[in-house]
Each structure stands twice: as structure tokens, then as C-alpha cells.
Amino acid sequence: MTDLITPELVVLDLVASDKADATRQIAEKLQAAGRVTDLEGFLKDVAAREAQMATGMPGGIGLPHARSEHVTVPSLGLARVPGGVDFGAPDGPATLVFLIAAPAGGGSEHLTILAALARRLVRPAFRQTIIDAADEAAVASYVQSEVGG
């Protein structure tokens, strides 16, 4: 089974002008890893989902996500965004952005990932471990062990 997240899917210090830019930069990592086949098609699916309801969570979290025919395997891209990006959370910009990509035919896989991630994101220690991690490998290993199953 393919890991949900790998070091190649982590950006430690992302600089983005807005949520679309942040999402694009993370999605480009997914595409480079062969997990997204059509970047523009996938971004269109993410934007359509984002238009339904903001995906910002309290605590500085952005959780853009989509099921898409352009996704080959369930994947999680992650970026630390020191400058923050507005994902519509009531308490302000997101400094951690998790992009969940699930295949269109994957049933409830993305909801399972979303639920597992959401349960951990309410724990300050989970968020702090990601913020404090020294490198991409440490972030990916930690998140995979906590969320990847």
C-alpha cells in the first residue's frame, strides 16, 4: 500500500498569496509524485469543493480536499505557511494546510482520512509536533503514523 504522505508531499515554508496559490503549490507536489494526473482538473475539483463550504478550521488549519478522477491514490499534501493563508476559519488564517486528494471512485476514503486528521488536529500537541519538525521526512513520518493507518 502506498503511504498517504511522503517527504516529497511536504512543504516546510510555503509562501502563498491566497488559498488558491497555496493549494496549487501543494497540488504540484502531488502531481510531481505521480499522484495527480491532471493538475488543472484536480484544482478545479478542489475549487468546486471549496466553493461549497470554507475548509478553514480553528487553530490555524486549512483542509482543502476533493475526490477527483485526476487522483491515482489517496494522498495527503501538507504545507507549513508561516505567513498564513485565509481558508475562511473564524479565528484567522491557516498556518498549516493539509490537501487531501482522493480518487473519484474511492468511496468514503477521503472522509476517513478527513475524520482521522480532524480528530488529531484538535490536539495542540499534534499541530505543534508538525510545526516543530526539523524536516520534510520528520513531518511525513509523524503524520503517516498518526493518520495513515
Side-chain angles (χ1 to χ4, degrees):
M1 183 174 145
T2 304
D3 281 350
L4 182 64
I5 185 169
T6 64
E8 298 78 37
L9 305 179
V10 176
V11 183
L12 292 184
D13 292 305
L14 186 115
V15 176
S17 56
D18 58 22
K19 67 182 179 182
D21 182 31
T23 302
R24 173 177 289 279
Q25 290 185 57
I26 302 167
E28 286 170 350
K29 296 284 190 180
L30 296 173
Q31 182 185 38
R35 294 168 179 245
V36 168
T37 57
D38 176 348
L39 180 65
E40 296 307 322
F42 174 64
L43 289 171
K44 187 173 168 187
D45 292 338
V46 173
R49 169 60 193 85
E50 193 75 25
Q52 293 174 357
M53 188 170 84
T55 56
M57 287 181 54
I61 306 298
L63 270 177
H65 56 280
R67 287 173 48 175
S68 173
E69 66 186 55
H70 309 295
V71 175
T72 59
V73 294
S75 301
L76 178 63
L78 191 163
R80 296 191 311 210
V81 188
V85 177
D86 184 12
F87 271 87
D91 65 342
T95 54
L96 291 175
V97 178
F98 298 82
L99 175 58
I100 300 171
S108 63
E109 271 176 337
H110 82 293
L111 294 177
T112 303
I113 296 164
L114 188 60
L117 191 55
R119 279 194 299 276
R120 281 151 186 93
L121 286 170
V122 298
R123 296 192 342 240
F126 177 79
R127 297 190 309 267
Q128 196 61 50
T129 298
I130 294 168
I131 291 165
D132 293 342
D135 56 33
E136 293 90 342
V139 172
S141 174
Y142 177 68
V143 174
Q144 178 66 31
S145 71
E146 288 284 319
V147 181

